């Protein structure tokens, strides 16, 4: 994501570096200012060590801040100890806390209901807020915690699977959130297999018609240009590259 002139890679899942280099235009990892991890599940963190190496040129050019929940660093850590000294700082995420990164400021929400320590984020972009609702089981208090005019939401499940405990949002949850949220633009991403088979762009079109909100289904490599929305709010131009948001989840993966 490039927000307020700050380059931040969020949730570098498997293939993050390959995607950066394959992207058009190419995304240069050495230009990153930081890496933000919402939680340690491998589909979000698989390439975090690779990205730290790439950002810092193998530790040769020490830079950047890595933001991560404590359990990604301590218990069964996904961030290897040897790469930690490559970055300027490792910032441990706590719930309901605000963090600066250059000109950018973002805050965490309450800890999500997910099987590992998980936080979603609100990015302050001038007078506009961009909310990123990462993996979680649905609970009603979620909605008020994401006040952004733009809301990015991870949606894995088409429907709940009875008798199976899966800590992800389903389409039923999304419909409910769309009814309640004040967001004007909602981007759905991180789809499970059944969502992908059901053609997310068609689902998004139906949801737009039903709710009157602009609902967009993310695709690999899609760039969300929030320029227009930002201009309405009198703020700077920013871009969100959705390759960095981990589009692909897995319905079969249980609690990932
Ligand atoms: Zn997860």
């Amino acid at each position: 994501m490039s927000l307020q002139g700050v380059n931040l890679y969020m949730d570098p899942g498997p293939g993050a570096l390959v995607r950066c280099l394959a992207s058009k235009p190419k995304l240069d990892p050495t230009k990153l200012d930081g890496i933000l991890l919402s939680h340690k599940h491998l589909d979000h963190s698989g390439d975090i060590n690779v990205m730290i190496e790439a950002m810092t040129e193998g530790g040769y050019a020490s830079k950047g801040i890595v933001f991560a929940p404590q359990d990604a660093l301590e218990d069964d850590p996904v961030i290897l100890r040897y790469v930690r000294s490559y970055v300027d700082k490792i910032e441990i995420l706590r719930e309901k806390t605000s963090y600066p990164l250059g000109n950018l400021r973002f805050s965490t929400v309450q800890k999500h209901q997910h099987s590992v320590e998980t936080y979603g984020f609100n990015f302050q972009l001038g007078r506009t807020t961009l909310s990123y609702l990462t993996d979680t089981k649905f609970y009603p208090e979620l909605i008020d915690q994401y006040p952004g005019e733009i809301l990015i939401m991870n949606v894995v499940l088409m429907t709940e699977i009875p008798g199976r405990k899966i800590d992800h949002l389903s389409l039923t949850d999304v419909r409910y959130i769309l009814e309640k949220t004040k967001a004007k633009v909602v981007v759905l991403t991180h789809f499970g297999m059944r969502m992908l088979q059901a053609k997310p762009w068609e689902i998004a079109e139906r949801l737009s018609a039903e709710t009157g909100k602009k609902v967009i289904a993310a695709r690999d490599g899609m760039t969300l240009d929030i320029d227009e929305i930002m201009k309405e709010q009198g703020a700077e131009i920013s871009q969100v590259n959705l390759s960095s948001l981990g589009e692909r989840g897995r319905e079969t993966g249980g609690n990932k």
Side-chain angles (χ1 to χ4, degrees):
M1 310 202 288
S2 179
L3 302 169
Q4 313 275 91
V6 172
N7 295 321
L8 181 64
Y9 203 109
M10 187 151 75
D11 286 354
L17 181 59
V18 172
R19 282 190 186 198
C20 276
L21 301 178
S23 166
K24 286 183 184 130
K26 209 188 254 191
L27 301 170
D28 179 357
T30 65
K31 300 276 190 305
L32 282 171
D33 300 297
I35 299 172
L36 174 60
L37 184 65
S38 70
H39 66 296
K40 71 177 186 181
H41 280 153
L42 277 181
D43 51 338
H44 296 254
S45 70
D47 256 6
I48 194 158
N49 298 295
V50 175
M51 287 308 293
I52 291 171
E53 289 245 11
M55 175 173 75
T56 61
E57 298 173 54
Y60 180 73
S62 189
K63 69 178 288 202
I65 303 182
V66 171
F67 300 87
Q70 192 153 14
D71 77 349
L73 294 153
E74 289 182 358
D75 172 34
D76 198 10
V78 292
I79 301 174
L80 296 172
R81 290 190 173 86
Y82 88 90
V83 298
R84 295 181 193 180
S85 62
Y86 293 1
V87 297
D88 286 342
K89 195 176 178 187
I90 304 257
E91 186 82 68
I92 294 174
L93 295 173
R94 316 258 179 224
E95 61 181 359
K96 297 182 187 169
T97 306
S98 177
Y99 300 89
L101 177 61
N103 286 331
L104 179 65
R105 184 163 276 279
F106 66 90
S107 53
T108 52
V109 302
Q110 196 179 43
K111 202 184 284 181
H112 274 190
Q113 295 183 13
H114 205 49
S115 60
V116 295
E117 192 179 352
T118 305
Y119 303 106
F121 309 102
N122 288 303
F123 298 91
Q124 215 51 61
L125 312 173
R127 280 179 289 158
T128 304
T129 302
L130 170 70
S131 294
Y132 174 50
L133 199 172
T134 188
D135 291 3
T136 185
K137 185 176 164 173
F138 178 77
Y139 56 102
E141 295 77 23
L142 267 179
I143 300 164
D144 288 343
Q145 293 188 57
Y146 291 98
E149 290 82 0
I150 307 158
L151 171 64
I152 299 172
M153 213 171 0
N154 284 6
V155 191
V156 173
L157 301 167
M158 273 296 283
T159 50
E160 293 80 5
I161 302 169
R164 276 192 68 188
K165 184 181 155 286
I166 296 181
D167 294 341
H168 279 293
L169 296 184
S170 71
L171 213 45
T172 315
D173 302 324
V174 170
R175 279 205 167 82
Y176 184 79
I177 293 169
L178 283 171
E179 262 173 44
K180 307 278 178 194
T181 180
K182 291 185 190 81
K184 298 169 192 161
V185 179
V186 178
V187 181
L188 309 179
T189 186
H190 200 29
F191 304 122
M193 280 314 292
R194 259 170 261 173
M195 276 291 287
L196 286 171
Q197 283 158 7
K199 302 183 178 135
W201 59 93
E202 288 182 7
I203 292 171
E205 242 170 64
R206 279 202 297 277
L207 290 171
S208 295
E210 278 171 36
T211 61
K213 292 185 187 294
K214 190 176 169 65
V215 183
I216 301 166
R219 290 184 306 277
D220 284 353
M222 178 180 134
T223 299
L224 176 67
D225 194 337
I226 52 178
D227 179 13
E228 287 307 309
I229 306 157
M230 300 288 286
K231 264 195 263 177
E232 276 169 32
Q233 308 293 322
E236 282 176 32
I237 297 168
S238 293
Q239 281 200 333
V240 178
N241 187 303
L242 290 168
S243 289
S244 61
L245 293 172
E247 296 87 338
R248 292 181 193 279
R250 279 176 298 161
E251 261 182 8
T252 49
N255 292 324
K256 292 277 165 58

